[in-house]
Amino acid sequence: MSNELTNRINNWMEQDDFFSNLGHSFFEGAKSFNQALKTDIKETDEAYDVKVDIPGISKDDISLSYDDGVLSINAKRDSFEDKSDKDGNIITSERSYGSYSRQYRLPNVVKDQISARYTDGVLNISLPKSKANLSSENQIKID
């Protein structure tokens, strides 16, 4: 019964232009923020391989750091000049600008052997793991 009522309300809201676009426009900003710096991380016995999509940003506007087992990626895109017509009309504007950052906990990395390259809008980072066998177990013997 409640599913049937919910479906009726949803169908009614989808037929009304105001309600059908309300959620889309409200969450549009959050969606574009979540799409920034999409990342794939692959772990092997030897290293972490990180791939980050950062299209449309200059290599000079990307910074990386690794401290205390955390990889930090920061990128910025300055404002851009729009290509509006003589009256200032813009049909649509979907490009975003601002600062983006992500952090990933990737422990047991040899800091001075980290390498990175930026090609065709994709940042590839290789973080070699330490050969030392570091136990993550924190067991305490009880007397």
Side-chain angles (χ1 to χ4, degrees):
M1 174 83 168
S2 66
N3 285 339
E4 185 178 325
L5 181 59
T6 301
N7 288 338
R8 284 184 193 171
I9 292 171
N10 287 341
N11 288 339
W12 171 71
M13 289 177 70
E14 287 174 4
Q15 292 173 0
D16 188 309
D17 286 338
F18 174 77
F19 288 112
S20 65
N21 292 321
L22 180 64
H24 296 292
S25 62
F26 180 75
F27 291 107
E28 192 65 35
K31 186 172 83 172
S32 66
F33 176 77
N34 288 336
Q35 291 177 351
L37 304 181
K38 291 291 189 180
T39 305
D40 293 333
I41 300 176
K42 177 182 161 187
E43 181 180 12
T44 65
D45 290 338
E46 294 81 33
Y48 298 102
D49 293 317
V50 179
K51 291 185 180 195
V52 185
D53 286 345
I54 314 178
I57 295 180
S58 169
K59 179 176 82 168
D60 295 334
D61 291 330
I62 302 170
S63 66
L64 301 174
S65 65
Y66 183 83
D67 293 307
D68 295 325
V70 176
L71 173 67
S72 297
I73 303 170
N74 296 295
K76 68 175 180 162
R77 178 180 299 147
D78 292 326
S79 62
F80 47 85
E81 186 177 323
D82 67 80
K83 302 294 182 193
S84 56
D85 65 12
K86 63 183 168 97
D87 296 325
N89 297 321
I90 298 174
I91 303 283
T92 187
S93 180
E94 297 177 338
R95 297 178 299 158
S96 60
Y97 61 92
S99 297
Y100 309 94
S101 65
R102 297 282 305 265
Q103 293 185 324
Y104 309 93
R105 179 158 297 284
L106 302 170
N108 197 23
V109 169
V110 182
K111 188 174 181 175
D112 61 345
Q113 293 181 8
I114 297 172
S115 63
R117 75 179 182 283
Y118 183 61
T119 308
D120 297 330
V122 179
L123 178 63
N124 292 285
I125 310 163
S126 178
L127 299 102
K129 289 183 178 179
S130 173
K131 301 292 182 197
N133 187 9
L134 299 176
S135 175
S136 62
E137 234 178 90
N138 293 321
Q139 295 293 323
I140 299 172
K141 182 179 176 184
I142 302 172
D143 292 330

